[in-house]
Amino acid sequence: MNWLIQWIVRPLMNRKFFTKIFVSISIVSFVGVFSLVAFYQQYFERVLTENEMERVQRSINQAGLNLDNQLTRIVQNINYFFYYSDNGSELIDATDRNKVEKALEAYRTQYSSELESVFLMIKDDKEEGGEALIYDENLDRVPGIDYRSQAWYRDFINKDTELWSKLTKEHLFYQDRSYRTIYLTLGKYTTEGRDGMLAVRLNSRLFSDAFRILATSDLLIELKDPDGDIVYSSLPDDMSANRSRYLQMDSKLNNSGFGVQAFINQQAISQKVRKAEVVQPLVIVIVLVITMIISFVLSLTLVQPIKKLLKLMKRVEVGDFGARFSSKYTDEIGLLGRNFNRMLSNLSEMIDKMYVVEMEKINAEMKQKDATMLAMQHQINPHFLYNTLEVINCQAILNDVPEISRMSKAMADFFRYTVDSPRIEVELSVEIQHVRTYLEIQHERYPDIEIDLDGLEPFYAYPIIKLTVQPIVENAFQYGFIGERDYYLKVYAADISPDTYALIIEDNGEGMQAAAMEAMNALFAKESMELPQGNASSRHGIGLLNVHHRIRLRYGGRYGLTLAESLTGGISVEILLPKEGKENEDSGR
């Protein structure tokens, strides 16, 4: 990874500042644009699919509701006709067959678009041969078909009448045009031995017409009766082999118990997405051109004050100490310009004083100049780095690049803690804050790693050597989190004794071989502070040994590091520390 970064960054380092800014902004903008296009493509396809599914579901539900209401109305009318109306009681008595036939004909004619045939089966157990099939004279019975072999008759004999028959090809009359359909059967079974059944053969177009308008080559529909038999289907014969190409939706008819399955062709939705993709290249080109223009203007705006400052520096180089930087802005570049002016004023004042002091003593004057130059060099300290990072931070905020802002601020805090503070020993709260800063920087690279620093507040006042925890955390990122799974890092503390506490850094990383862990613990137990030499696994422990040795030098041999395997297979590093520290002395910085 490092070589890739170097390969990208190194060619830019020798370029002009304008080129660096322009290329940086352009790269960030291009990545954002293409990421947005990729996200929009996926989002558009998902939304289009969801909308299409919702539209089809509404249509199927409405068509199913209409069919359900129609079937419910037919069932209610048949129940009323057979059980509650005057015709119903007369049908079973059947004293006047002609009157019964006319009643059946009137009912069939009234619902001719939904029914194909209506007939009545009467059986009187008291009379020998007392069985009669009654239907109206406009129905033409097909010769050679024995109704006694049909399912509805067997149910009638068994007195086990079901309202909805199974899907059947059975028919009695030429008017029964549907190849396969369903019978509605109602029965009356009296204690006097006179039984009757009313059978209604439904027109199969009742089912197909409900969904024929919706069914297309891209929307296939299948209607099943309560027993799961297919009543209507627009599915092709090879549907089973191509079922993976379709999205399936189900709908249930509440009253009749019928079920509807709809299949949407995914290719049809993809074609709609591809139509939208035709204009995407043009949009991308326009956005990229606008991005280039904005990047150029921003780069020019950022570089112009710096170019102006460089010109003033060149004037100072040739002895023009009257040069001054003028800026109407109060940003970091303006602050840098005012500091430049202040530096020139101070420098001019110092030079004037130097000319006043004993001009005749040239050697002393030269020594004074050398001392002055040395003092100026000492003034160029790491604060220039912090100011530069602050400039980058503010420019990132102004240009709405929060990631760069957070990184530059975190890096400034990180180096300020590492370089500036002269203290050897700090409170645990200060050290943990430094670790948080480091983890904020690492978050940009490892955004999915779970971090747990909770529960440390009761131990914040206890002492710890500066830069103890961060190298151990860095080891976890460098050697533990190298796979493609989910990782976590947890830092917690525990009381060991009245004068001792332990700080534990635990992860679920790739772990360490038992032999290597045992060897590291053996090195921790040794009194010698020589660092290991040899293979790469030994060199991996140098950072841990450095931390261990610094703790022992500060607090004594009873304190230091211990390695163990965590419960999740990673590494658990225990740091044993005293609760009372030593008086801080300057670290030498």
Side-chain angles (χ1 to χ4, degrees):
M1 187 66 182
N2 289 333
W3 69 267
L4 179 60
I5 296 175
Q6 291 294 328
W7 181 76
I8 296 174
V9 173
R10 188 173 297 170
L12 286 175
M13 297 309 296
N14 296 325
R15 300 290 181 180
K16 292 183 178 180
F17 186 66
F18 173 81
T19 304
K20 296 177 185 178
I21 294 294
F22 178 72
V23 171
S24 300
I25 296 177
S26 299
I27 290 175
V28 173
S29 301
F30 290 170
V31 170
V33 168
F34 286 109
S35 300
L36 184 62
V37 169
F39 171 78
Y40 172 77
Q41 174 68 22
Q42 296 178 356
Y43 175 77
F44 178 75
E45 185 171 358
R46 185 174 71 253
V47 169
L48 186 61
T49 302
E50 292 174 354
N51 290 342
E52 186 68 12
M53 294 281 287
E54 184 179 356
R55 182 190 67 81
V56 172
Q57 187 70 63
R58 288 199 304 268
S59 300
I60 294 298
N61 290 343
Q62 185 59 50
L65 179 63
N66 294 340
L67 176 60
D68 201 29
N69 291 337
Q70 194 172 8
L71 292 174
T72 301
R73 178 176 55 82
I74 292 174
V75 170
Q76 291 174 345
N77 289 338
I78 291 176
N79 273 285
Y80 177 77
F81 176 76
F82 189 61
Y83 289 120
Y84 304 109
S85 68
D86 295 337
N87 291 325
S89 58
E90 294 174 356
L91 291 177
I92 298 301
D93 295 338
T95 54
D96 187 349
R97 179 165 183 154
N98 185 54
K99 186 176 181 180
V100 172
E101 290 178 357
K102 288 186 178 297
L104 293 175
E105 180 181 9
Y107 184 80
R108 181 179 64 85
T109 305
Q110 182 180 359
Y111 302 103
S112 59
S113 62
E114 300 163 344
L115 313 179
E116 292 182 339
S117 60
V118 181
F119 55 89
L120 180 68
M121 187 70 204
I122 299 295
K123 184 174 184 299
D124 193 341
D125 294 336
K126 296 179 180 179
E127 298 179 10
E128 184 177 353
E131 183 179 279
L133 178 68
I134 304 174
Y135 51 89
D136 67 83
E137 61 182 9
N138 289 321
L139 288 177
D140 301 320
R141 188 171 171 183
V142 179
I145 295 180
D146 184 6
Y147 64 81
R148 294 179 179 84
S149 64
Q150 297 187 354
W152 63 265
Y153 181 78
R154 290 192 295 272
D155 292 340
F156 174 67
I157 295 300
N158 295 328
K159 299 183 179 181
D160 186 23
T161 306
E162 294 288 341
L163 177 63
W164 299 101
S165 74
K166 292 185 178 297
L167 190 68
T168 180
K169 299 178 184 178
E170 297 174 352
H171 65 285
L172 285 176
F173 306 98
Y174 284 112
Q175 284 78 7
D176 296 337
R177 296 179 297 275
S178 300
Y179 180 66
R180 297 175 66 196
T181 188
I182 296 174
Y183 281 91
L184 286 176
T185 57
L186 300 176
K188 282 186 179 181
Y189 304 100
T190 62
T191 56
E192 291 81 9
R194 186 173 181 81
D195 302 330
M197 172 190 280
L198 179 66
V200 177
R201 195 175 196 269
L202 298 178
N203 191 337
S204 63
R205 290 184 59 184
L206 177 67
F207 306 105
S208 60
D209 288 350
F211 300 101
R212 182 174 289 125
I213 297 177
L214 296 177
T216 64
S217 59
D218 295 325
L219 177 58
L220 308 178
I221 298 175
E222 193 171 69
L223 177 66
K224 295 181 179 180
D225 65 13
D227 295 323
D229 296 324
I230 299 175
V231 178
Y232 165 76
S233 176
S234 65
L235 275 62
D237 296 335
D238 60 348
M239 180 62 184
S240 58
N242 299 319
R243 188 174 289 268
S244 60
R245 294 166 46 193
Y246 294 85
L247 299 174
Q248 180 178 337
M249 292 183 301
D250 298 310
S251 181
K252 188 78 173 178
L253 278 62
N254 296 328
N255 297 326
S256 60
F258 282 66
V260 183
Q261 287 184 335
F263 301 87
I264 303 178
N265 192 345
Q266 297 186 64
Q267 291 183 352
I269 299 176
S270 300
Q271 288 176 357
K272 294 182 180 180
V273 175
R274 283 193 290 271
K275 289 180 181 179
E277 288 178 349
V278 174
V279 298
Q280 283 188 359
L282 178 61
V283 174
I284 292 175
V285 170
I286 294 174
V287 171
L288 289 180
V289 170
I290 296 174
T291 301
M292 292 287 289
I293 295 174
I294 295 175
S295 301
F296 180 82
V297 173
L298 286 175
S299 302
L300 194 63
T301 304
L302 293 174
V303 171
Q304 198 67 33
I306 297 178
K307 284 185 175 181
K308 181 179 178 181
L309 190 58
L310 288 175
K311 289 180 181 179
L312 293 176
M313 289 182 179
K314 290 180 180 180
R315 287 172 56 186
V316 174
E317 285 180 0
V318 298
D320 184 5
F321 294 100
R324 292 293 183 268
F325 180 83
S326 60
S327 175
K328 59 182 178 179
Y329 301 109
T330 58
D331 58 2
E332 281 70 17
I333 296 178
L335 180 61
L336 187 63
R338 288 191 291 275
N339 289 337
F340 174 76
N341 294 340
R342 190 178 300 111
M343 183 188 69
L344 288 180
S345 299
N346 294 337
L347 186 59
S348 297
E349 185 178 348
M350 291 173 64
I351 292 174
D352 291 341
K353 289 180 179 180
M354 288 169 58
Y355 275 105
V356 171
V357 177
E358 297 186 71
M359 295 295 295
E360 68 279 3
K361 298 179 182 180
I362 298 177
N363 291 335
E365 184 180 357
M366 292 300 298
K367 291 181 180 180
Q368 183 66 29
K369 288 183 179 179
D370 291 341
T372 304
M373 292 301 296
L374 183 60
M376 291 175 60
Q377 290 176 6
H378 288 167
Q379 291 177 356
I380 306 175
N381 56 28
H383 288 287
F384 179 77
L385 173 62
Y386 310 150
N387 290 336
T388 303
L389 289 171
E390 287 297 325
V391 169
I392 295 174
N393 177 29
C394 291
Q395 291 299 327
I397 293 174
L398 290 175
N399 290 278
D400 196 20
V401 190
E403 295 84 0
I404 297 178
S405 171
R406 289 195 299 269
M407 284 289 289
S408 60
K409 185 178 184 303
M411 287 180 66
D413 294 339
F414 182 86
F415 286 117
R416 185 175 291 111
Y417 179 85
T418 305
V419 177
D420 272 5
S421 176
R423 302 171 61 191
I424 294 175
E425 185 180 278
V426 296
E427 292 180 348
L428 179 61
S429 60
V430 178
E431 180 72 4
I432 292 301
Q433 182 57 43
H434 176 62
V435 172
R436 292 183 189 275
T437 302
Y438 172 78
L439 291 174
E440 184 176 355
I441 296 172
Q442 288 288 29
H443 178 73
E444 297 299 322
R445 184 178 178 187
Y446 304 97
D448 296 327
I449 294 180
E450 182 181 354
I451 305 298
D452 184 359
L453 299 178
D454 296 332
L456 294 171
E457 289 79 2
F459 302 85
Y460 271 175
Y462 294 157
I464 190 171
I465 295 178
K466 177 181 174 183
L467 296 177
T468 295
V469 182
Q470 182 266 325
I472 299 175
V473 173
E474 184 175 357
N475 252 27
F477 279 89
Q478 189 169 0
Y479 303 114
F481 304 151
I482 57 177
E484 297 296 330
R485 58 189 177 87
D486 294 336
Y487 294 106
Y488 79 88
L489 178 73
K490 182 176 182 180
V491 181
Y492 59 99
D495 275 310
I496 303 300
S497 67
D499 61 347
T500 306
Y501 77 102
L503 190 65
I504 299 96
I505 298 95
E506 178 181 302
D507 65 66
N508 68 334
E510 301 305 314
M512 181 184 293
Q513 294 183 356
M517 186 179 297
E518 186 177 350
M520 284 299 302
N521 284 327
L523 288 174
F524 291 154
K526 286 183 178 180
E527 294 295 331
S528 173
M529 294 190 181
E530 293 181 2
L531 298 179
Q533 303 292 330
N535 57 30
S537 63
S538 296
R539 292 195 297 273
H540 290 172
I542 290 178
L544 298 179
L545 281 172
N546 275 332
V547 174
H548 178 73
H549 291 161
R550 288 196 295 122
I551 292 174
R552 283 198 165 183
L553 285 172
R554 181 73 175 178
Y555 301 122
R558 59 178 291 201
Y559 301 101
L561 273 61
T562 305
L563 296 184
E565 183 178 0
S566 68
L567 294 177
T568 54
I571 298 293
S572 176
V573 182
E574 181 184 88
I575 311 172
L576 200 62
L577 295 164
K579 291 183 179 180
E580 294 292 336
K582 293 187 176 182
E583 185 177 350
N584 263 304
E585 61 266 13
D586 194 289
S587 64
R589 292 198 175 273

